[in-house]
Amino acid sequence: MKKIARIFIMAFVLLLTCNTINAKDIDLSKTTAFGINGPELVDDREPEPPVFWYFIRIRIDGKKREIEITGGGGKISSGTKKAFSKAVWWGIAHRQMAVGPFYSEAEALNSKIYYKKNRDKINELPQATAPSTMHWFEVQLTELKRLNSFEFTHSPAAVSSGSADTFTDALYEGLTFQRLSIGPFWDYTQAEEAKTIYRLNE
């Protein structure tokens, strides 16, 4: 009899406790969906906008210690910044260079104008949408002959700014010192972000 009374009292207390819980005390603001294992957070962030790049073929003249552009501007590729970072790594492993990442396809197409075997072969003008001041930075490369690939050599390089002609001067002058200018970018911050991606592959 005492056992039955004890069970009755416990059931009554439990029912009384449940009735005191108010729906307003339950905070579901941090979850928007419920799964089998409980609440699941839903990522409602906007997808990352794509960036654009292309590959150029290069070779290093070991005697002259110069870089030569042997093929300029392949097709434009697009994807995430992470995909571009992988493209940079893939490029140097296959004796190529990924140039980018650019915020628009028009910007990438404008960049392709400059990467010719020599300056005399530049026969296009910058796109009308290109700003008068653009930005770029340099990377330095060495050749791994046994692996038939390239690697980046760490070298401090600041972002430079100037006109299309200034970029062209910097590009072809840098080649004679085994350095390659990457750009030109239309936004200074974008150039800084791009430089960081290349530095991760050093």
Side-chain angles (χ1 to χ4, degrees), residues 42-85:
V42 175
D43 187 355
D44 59 352
R45 292 176 296 181
E46 291 293 325
E48 180 184 331
V51 293
F52 302 86
W53 68 88
Y54 59 90
F55 289 96
I56 59 172
R57 294 188 302 277
I58 57 177
R59 65 178 292 271
I60 296 177
D61 187 321
K63 293 182 179 179
K64 294 182 179 179
R65 299 182 63 82
E66 295 180 357
I67 294 176
E68 180 183 350
I69 299 172
T70 60
K75 69 174 184 178
I76 302 295
S77 300
S78 64
T80 63
K81 290 179 181 177
K82 184 176 181 179
F84 171 73
S85 183

Short mmCIF file of all heavy atoms in Angstrom, two decimals, residues 42-85:
data_model
loop_
_atom_site.label_atom_id
_atom_site.label_comp_id
_atom_site.label_asym_id
_atom_site.label_seq_id
_atom_site.Cartn_x
_atom_site.Cartn_y
_atom_site.Cartn_z
N VAL A 42 21.11 25.60 -39.34
CA VAL A 42 21.04 25.75 -40.79
C VAL A 42 21.88 26.95 -41.19
O VAL A 42 21.72 28.04 -40.66
CB VAL A 42 19.59 25.95 -41.26
CG1 VAL A 42 19.55 26.23 -42.76
CG2 VAL A 42 18.75 24.73 -40.92
N ASP A 43 22.82 26.76 -42.13
CA ASP A 43 23.69 27.83 -42.61
C ASP A 43 22.95 28.61 -43.69
O ASP A 43 22.76 28.11 -44.79
CB ASP A 43 24.99 27.23 -43.17
CG ASP A 43 26.01 28.30 -43.53
OD1 ASP A 43 25.68 29.50 -43.43
OD2 ASP A 43 27.14 27.94 -43.89
N ASP A 44 22.51 29.82 -43.34
CA ASP A 44 21.74 30.62 -44.29
C ASP A 44 22.59 31.72 -44.93
O ASP A 44 22.07 32.68 -45.48
CB ASP A 44 20.51 31.24 -43.61
CG ASP A 44 20.89 32.15 -42.44
OD1 ASP A 44 22.09 32.17 -42.07
OD2 ASP A 44 19.99 32.81 -41.90
N ARG A 45 23.93 31.56 -44.86
CA ARG A 45 24.79 32.56 -45.48
C ARG A 45 24.71 32.48 -47.00
O ARG A 45 24.47 31.42 -47.57
CB ARG A 45 26.25 32.36 -45.05
CG ARG A 45 26.51 32.65 -43.58
CD ARG A 45 27.94 32.33 -43.22
NE ARG A 45 28.21 30.90 -43.39
CZ ARG A 45 29.38 30.34 -43.13
NH1 ARG A 45 30.40 31.06 -42.71
NH2 ARG A 45 29.56 29.03 -43.29
N GLU A 46 24.95 33.62 -47.64
CA GLU A 46 24.95 33.65 -49.10
C GLU A 46 26.17 32.88 -49.63
O GLU A 46 27.23 32.91 -49.03
CB GLU A 46 25.03 35.11 -49.60
CG GLU A 46 23.78 35.93 -49.34
CD GLU A 46 22.58 35.44 -50.14
OE1 GLU A 46 22.77 35.00 -51.29
OE2 GLU A 46 21.46 35.47 -49.61
N PRO A 47 26.01 32.14 -50.73
CA PRO A 47 27.17 31.43 -51.28
C PRO A 47 28.25 32.39 -51.73
O PRO A 47 27.97 33.52 -52.14
CB PRO A 47 26.56 30.67 -52.49
CG PRO A 47 25.32 31.42 -52.83
CD PRO A 47 24.79 31.95 -51.53
N GLU A 48 29.49 31.96 -51.63
CA GLU A 48 30.63 32.80 -52.00
C GLU A 48 30.60 33.07 -53.50
O GLU A 48 30.47 32.14 -54.30
CB GLU A 48 31.92 32.08 -51.62
CG GLU A 48 33.18 32.84 -51.95
CD GLU A 48 34.43 32.03 -51.65
OE1 GLU A 48 34.36 31.18 -50.74
OE2 GLU A 48 35.46 32.24 -52.32
N PRO A 49 30.71 34.33 -53.91
CA PRO A 49 30.71 34.63 -55.35
C PRO A 49 31.94 34.02 -56.00
O PRO A 49 33.00 33.91 -55.39
CB PRO A 49 30.74 36.16 -55.41
CG PRO A 49 31.31 36.58 -54.09
CD PRO A 49 30.86 35.55 -53.10
N PRO A 50 31.85 33.59 -57.26
CA PRO A 50 32.98 32.95 -57.92
C PRO A 50 34.09 33.95 -58.22
O PRO A 50 33.86 35.15 -58.35
CB PRO A 50 32.37 32.40 -59.21
CG PRO A 50 31.22 33.32 -59.50
CD PRO A 50 30.66 33.69 -58.14
N VAL A 51 35.30 33.44 -58.33
CA VAL A 51 36.44 34.23 -58.80
C VAL A 51 36.93 33.60 -60.10
O VAL A 51 36.55 32.47 -60.44
CB VAL A 51 37.57 34.27 -57.75
CG1 VAL A 51 37.13 35.04 -56.52
CG2 VAL A 51 38.03 32.86 -57.37
N PHE A 52 37.79 34.32 -60.83
CA PHE A 52 38.18 33.90 -62.17
C PHE A 52 39.71 33.90 -62.30
O PHE A 52 40.39 34.72 -61.69
CB PHE A 52 37.56 34.84 -63.21
CG PHE A 52 36.06 34.91 -63.13
CD1 PHE A 52 35.44 35.80 -62.25
CD2 PHE A 52 35.27 34.09 -63.91
CE1 PHE A 52 34.06 35.85 -62.15
CE2 PHE A 52 33.89 34.14 -63.83
CZ PHE A 52 33.28 35.01 -62.94
N TRP A 53 40.22 32.96 -63.10
CA TRP A 53 41.66 32.88 -63.33
C TRP A 53 41.93 32.17 -64.65
O TRP A 53 41.04 31.62 -65.28
CB TRP A 53 42.34 32.16 -62.17
CG TRP A 53 42.01 30.70 -62.05
CD1 TRP A 53 42.64 29.64 -62.65
CD2 TRP A 53 40.95 30.13 -61.27
NE1 TRP A 53 42.05 28.47 -62.29
CE2 TRP A 53 41.01 28.73 -61.45
CE3 TRP A 53 39.96 30.66 -60.43
CZ2 TRP A 53 40.13 27.85 -60.82
CZ3 TRP A 53 39.07 29.79 -59.82
CH2 TRP A 53 39.16 28.40 -60.01
N TYR A 54 43.20 32.17 -65.04
CA TYR A 54 43.63 31.45 -66.23
C TYR A 54 45.08 31.03 -66.03
O TYR A 54 45.75 31.47 -65.09
CB TYR A 54 43.48 32.32 -67.49
CG TYR A 54 44.27 33.60 -67.44
CD1 TYR A 54 45.58 33.65 -67.91
CD2 TYR A 54 43.72 34.76 -66.89
CE1 TYR A 54 46.32 34.82 -67.84
CE2 TYR A 54 44.45 35.93 -66.81
CZ TYR A 54 45.75 35.95 -67.29
OH TYR A 54 46.48 37.10 -67.20
N PHE A 55 45.57 30.15 -66.90
CA PHE A 55 46.94 29.66 -66.81
C PHE A 55 47.79 30.23 -67.93
O PHE A 55 47.32 30.42 -69.06
CB PHE A 55 46.98 28.13 -66.90
CG PHE A 55 46.43 27.44 -65.69
CD1 PHE A 55 45.12 26.99 -65.67
CD2 PHE A 55 47.22 27.22 -64.57
CE1 PHE A 55 44.60 26.34 -64.57
CE2 PHE A 55 46.71 26.56 -63.46
CZ PHE A 55 45.40 26.12 -63.46
N ILE A 56 49.04 30.49 -67.61
CA ILE A 56 50.04 30.80 -68.64
C ILE A 56 51.15 29.76 -68.52
O ILE A 56 51.40 29.22 -67.44
CB ILE A 56 50.62 32.22 -68.50
CG1 ILE A 56 51.29 32.42 -67.14
CG2 ILE A 56 49.54 33.28 -68.74
CD1 ILE A 56 52.05 33.73 -67.00
N ARG A 57 51.81 29.47 -69.63
CA ARG A 57 52.95 28.55 -69.62
C ARG A 57 54.23 29.37 -69.55
O ARG A 57 54.37 30.37 -70.26
CB ARG A 57 52.94 27.66 -70.87
CG ARG A 57 51.76 26.70 -70.92
CD ARG A 57 51.89 25.71 -72.06
NE ARG A 57 52.00 26.37 -73.35
CZ ARG A 57 50.97 26.80 -74.06
NH1 ARG A 57 49.73 26.66 -73.58
NH2 ARG A 57 51.15 27.38 -75.23
N ILE A 58 55.14 28.92 -68.72
CA ILE A 58 56.40 29.63 -68.54
C ILE A 58 57.56 28.64 -68.51
O ILE A 58 57.37 27.45 -68.28
CB ILE A 58 56.41 30.47 -67.24
CG1 ILE A 58 56.14 29.58 -66.03
CG2 ILE A 58 55.40 31.60 -67.30
CD1 ILE A 58 56.20 30.29 -64.69
N ARG A 59 58.75 29.14 -68.78
CA ARG A 59 59.97 28.36 -68.61
C ARG A 59 61.02 29.25 -67.96
O ARG A 59 60.94 30.48 -68.03
CB ARG A 59 60.48 27.81 -69.95
CG ARG A 59 60.94 28.87 -70.92
CD ARG A 59 61.48 28.26 -72.20
NE ARG A 59 62.73 27.54 -71.97
CZ ARG A 59 63.92 28.11 -72.05
NH1 ARG A 59 64.04 29.41 -72.35
NH2 ARG A 59 65.02 27.41 -71.84
N ILE A 60 61.99 28.63 -67.30
CA ILE A 60 63.06 29.38 -66.66
C ILE A 60 64.37 29.06 -67.37
O ILE A 60 64.76 27.90 -67.49
CB ILE A 60 63.17 29.03 -65.16
CG1 ILE A 60 61.90 29.45 -64.42
CG2 ILE A 60 64.39 29.71 -64.53
CD1 ILE A 60 61.89 29.10 -62.94
N ASP A 61 65.01 30.11 -67.86
CA ASP A 61 66.32 29.97 -68.48
C ASP A 61 67.36 29.96 -67.36
O ASP A 61 67.64 31.00 -66.75
CB ASP A 61 66.57 31.13 -69.45
CG ASP A 61 67.85 30.96 -70.26
OD1 ASP A 61 68.85 30.48 -69.69
OD2 ASP A 61 67.85 31.31 -71.45
N GLY A 62 67.91 28.79 -67.08
CA GLY A 62 68.84 28.66 -65.95
C GLY A 62 70.10 29.46 -66.11
O GLY A 62 70.66 29.96 -65.13
N LYS A 63 70.59 29.61 -67.35
CA LYS A 63 71.83 30.35 -67.58
C LYS A 63 71.62 31.85 -67.41
O LYS A 63 72.41 32.54 -66.77
CB LYS A 63 72.36 30.04 -68.97
CG LYS A 63 72.83 28.60 -69.14
CD LYS A 63 73.39 28.35 -70.53
CE LYS A 63 73.88 26.91 -70.67
NZ LYS A 63 74.42 26.65 -72.03
N LYS A 64 70.55 32.34 -68.00
CA LYS A 64 70.27 33.78 -67.90
C LYS A 64 69.53 34.13 -66.61
O LYS A 64 69.44 35.30 -66.26
CB LYS A 64 69.42 34.23 -69.09
CG LYS A 64 70.12 34.14 -70.43
CD LYS A 64 69.21 34.65 -71.53
CE LYS A 64 69.89 34.60 -72.89
NZ LYS A 64 68.98 35.09 -73.98
N ARG A 65 69.02 33.09 -65.94
CA ARG A 65 68.21 33.29 -64.74
C ARG A 65 67.02 34.21 -65.04
O ARG A 65 66.74 35.16 -64.30
CB ARG A 65 69.06 33.83 -63.58
CG ARG A 65 70.20 32.90 -63.17
CD ARG A 65 70.98 33.45 -62.00
NE ARG A 65 70.16 33.58 -60.80
CZ ARG A 65 69.89 32.58 -59.97
NH1 ARG A 65 70.37 31.37 -60.21
NH2 ARG A 65 69.15 32.78 -58.91
N GLU A 66 66.36 33.91 -66.12
CA GLU A 66 65.19 34.68 -66.55
C GLU A 66 63.99 33.77 -66.71
O GLU A 66 64.13 32.56 -66.95
CB GLU A 66 65.47 35.38 -67.89
CG GLU A 66 66.55 36.44 -67.83
CD GLU A 66 66.77 37.08 -69.20
OE1 GLU A 66 66.12 36.66 -70.18
OE2 GLU A 66 67.58 38.02 -69.26
N ILE A 67 62.80 34.38 -66.59
CA ILE A 67 61.56 33.66 -66.87
C ILE A 67 61.10 34.05 -68.27
O ILE A 67 61.15 35.22 -68.64
CB ILE A 67 60.46 34.00 -65.84
CG1 ILE A 67 60.85 33.49 -64.45
CG2 ILE A 67 59.12 33.40 -66.26
CD1 ILE A 67 59.87 33.89 -63.36
N GLU A 68 60.65 33.07 -69.01
CA GLU A 68 60.11 33.33 -70.34
C GLU A 68 58.66 32.85 -70.39
O GLU A 68 58.35 31.73 -69.96
CB GLU A 68 60.93 32.60 -71.40
CG GLU A 68 60.42 32.83 -72.82
CD GLU A 68 61.19 32.04 -73.86
OE1 GLU A 68 62.24 31.46 -73.50
OE2 GLU A 68 60.75 31.98 -75.01
N ILE A 69 57.78 33.70 -70.86
CA ILE A 69 56.38 33.31 -71.07
C ILE A 69 56.30 32.60 -72.41
O ILE A 69 56.58 33.19 -73.45
CB ILE A 69 55.45 34.54 -71.04
CG1 ILE A 69 55.53 35.24 -69.68
CG2 ILE A 69 54.00 34.13 -71.34
CD1 ILE A 69 54.80 36.58 -69.62
N THR A 70 55.95 31.33 -72.40
CA THR A 70 55.91 30.56 -73.65
C THR A 70 54.50 30.39 -74.20
O THR A 70 54.32 30.01 -75.34
CB THR A 70 56.53 29.16 -73.44
OG1 THR A 70 55.79 28.45 -72.43
CG2 THR A 70 57.99 29.29 -73.01
N GLY A 71 53.52 30.64 -73.38
CA GLY A 71 52.13 30.55 -73.83
C GLY A 71 51.27 31.43 -72.96
O GLY A 71 51.27 31.29 -71.73
N GLY A 72 50.57 32.36 -73.55
CA GLY A 72 49.82 33.34 -72.75
C GLY A 72 48.33 33.11 -72.76
O GLY A 72 47.73 32.92 -73.80
N GLY A 73 47.77 33.12 -71.58
CA GLY A 73 46.33 33.21 -71.42
C GLY A 73 45.50 32.10 -72.00
O GLY A 73 45.02 32.18 -73.11
N GLY A 74 45.36 31.01 -71.26
CA GLY A 74 44.43 29.96 -71.65
C GLY A 74 43.00 30.39 -71.38
O GLY A 74 42.71 31.56 -71.15
N LYS A 75 42.09 29.41 -71.39
CA LYS A 75 40.68 29.74 -71.16
C LYS A 75 40.48 30.23 -69.73
O LYS A 75 41.24 29.89 -68.82
CB LYS A 75 39.81 28.52 -71.43
CG LYS A 75 39.96 27.40 -70.42
CD LYS A 75 38.97 26.29 -70.69
CE LYS A 75 39.07 25.22 -69.59
NZ LYS A 75 38.07 24.15 -69.78
N ILE A 76 39.43 31.00 -69.54
CA ILE A 76 39.11 31.52 -68.21
C ILE A 76 38.42 30.42 -67.40
O ILE A 76 37.46 29.80 -67.86
CB ILE A 76 38.19 32.75 -68.31
CG1 ILE A 76 38.84 33.86 -69.13
CG2 ILE A 76 37.85 33.26 -66.91
CD1 ILE A 76 40.08 34.45 -68.54
N SER A 77 38.94 30.18 -66.21
CA SER A 77 38.31 29.23 -65.28
C SER A 77 37.65 30.01 -64.15
O SER A 77 37.98 31.17 -63.90
CB SER A 77 39.36 28.28 -64.69
OG SER A 77 40.00 27.53 -65.70
N SER A 78 36.70 29.39 -63.48
CA SER A 78 36.03 30.06 -62.35
C SER A 78 35.75 29.06 -61.25
O SER A 78 35.66 27.85 -61.49
CB SER A 78 34.73 30.73 -62.81
OG SER A 78 33.80 29.76 -63.26
N GLY A 79 35.60 29.56 -60.05
CA GLY A 79 35.31 28.71 -58.90
C GLY A 79 35.51 29.49 -57.62
O GLY A 79 35.54 30.72 -57.62
N THR A 80 35.68 28.78 -56.53
CA THR A 80 35.89 29.42 -55.23
C THR A 80 37.34 29.83 -55.07
O THR A 80 38.21 29.39 -55.84
CB THR A 80 35.51 28.46 -54.09
OG1 THR A 80 36.40 27.32 -54.16
CG2 THR A 80 34.07 27.99 -54.21
N LYS A 81 37.63 30.63 -54.05
CA LYS A 81 39.01 30.99 -53.77
C LYS A 81 39.83 29.76 -53.38
O LYS A 81 41.02 29.67 -53.68
CB LYS A 81 39.06 32.05 -52.66
CG LYS A 81 38.54 33.40 -53.09
CD LYS A 81 38.58 34.41 -51.96
CE LYS A 81 38.02 35.76 -52.41
NZ LYS A 81 37.99 36.75 -51.31
N LYS A 82 39.18 28.82 -52.71
CA LYS A 82 39.87 27.57 -52.35
C LYS A 82 40.26 26.80 -53.61
O LYS A 82 41.36 26.25 -53.69
CB LYS A 82 38.97 26.72 -51.45
CG LYS A 82 39.63 25.46 -50.93
CD LYS A 82 38.71 24.71 -49.98
CE LYS A 82 39.39 23.46 -49.44
NZ LYS A 82 38.51 22.72 -48.49
N ALA A 83 39.36 26.78 -54.59
CA ALA A 83 39.67 26.10 -55.85
C ALA A 83 40.81 26.81 -56.57
O ALA A 83 41.67 26.16 -57.17
CB ALA A 83 38.42 26.05 -56.74
N PHE A 84 40.83 28.13 -56.49
CA PHE A 84 41.93 28.86 -57.12
C PHE A 84 43.26 28.54 -56.44
O PHE A 84 44.28 28.36 -57.11
CB PHE A 84 41.68 30.37 -57.07
CG PHE A 84 42.89 31.16 -57.49
CD1 PHE A 84 43.26 31.20 -58.83
CD2 PHE A 84 43.68 31.82 -56.56
CE1 PHE A 84 44.40 31.89 -59.23
CE2 PHE A 84 44.80 32.51 -56.95
CZ PHE A 84 45.17 32.54 -58.29
N SER A 85 43.27 28.46 -55.11
CA SER A 85 44.49 28.14 -54.39
C SER A 85 45.03 26.78 -54.84
O SER A 85 46.25 26.60 -55.02
CB SER A 85 44.24 28.13 -52.88
OG SER A 85 45.43 27.89 -52.16
#
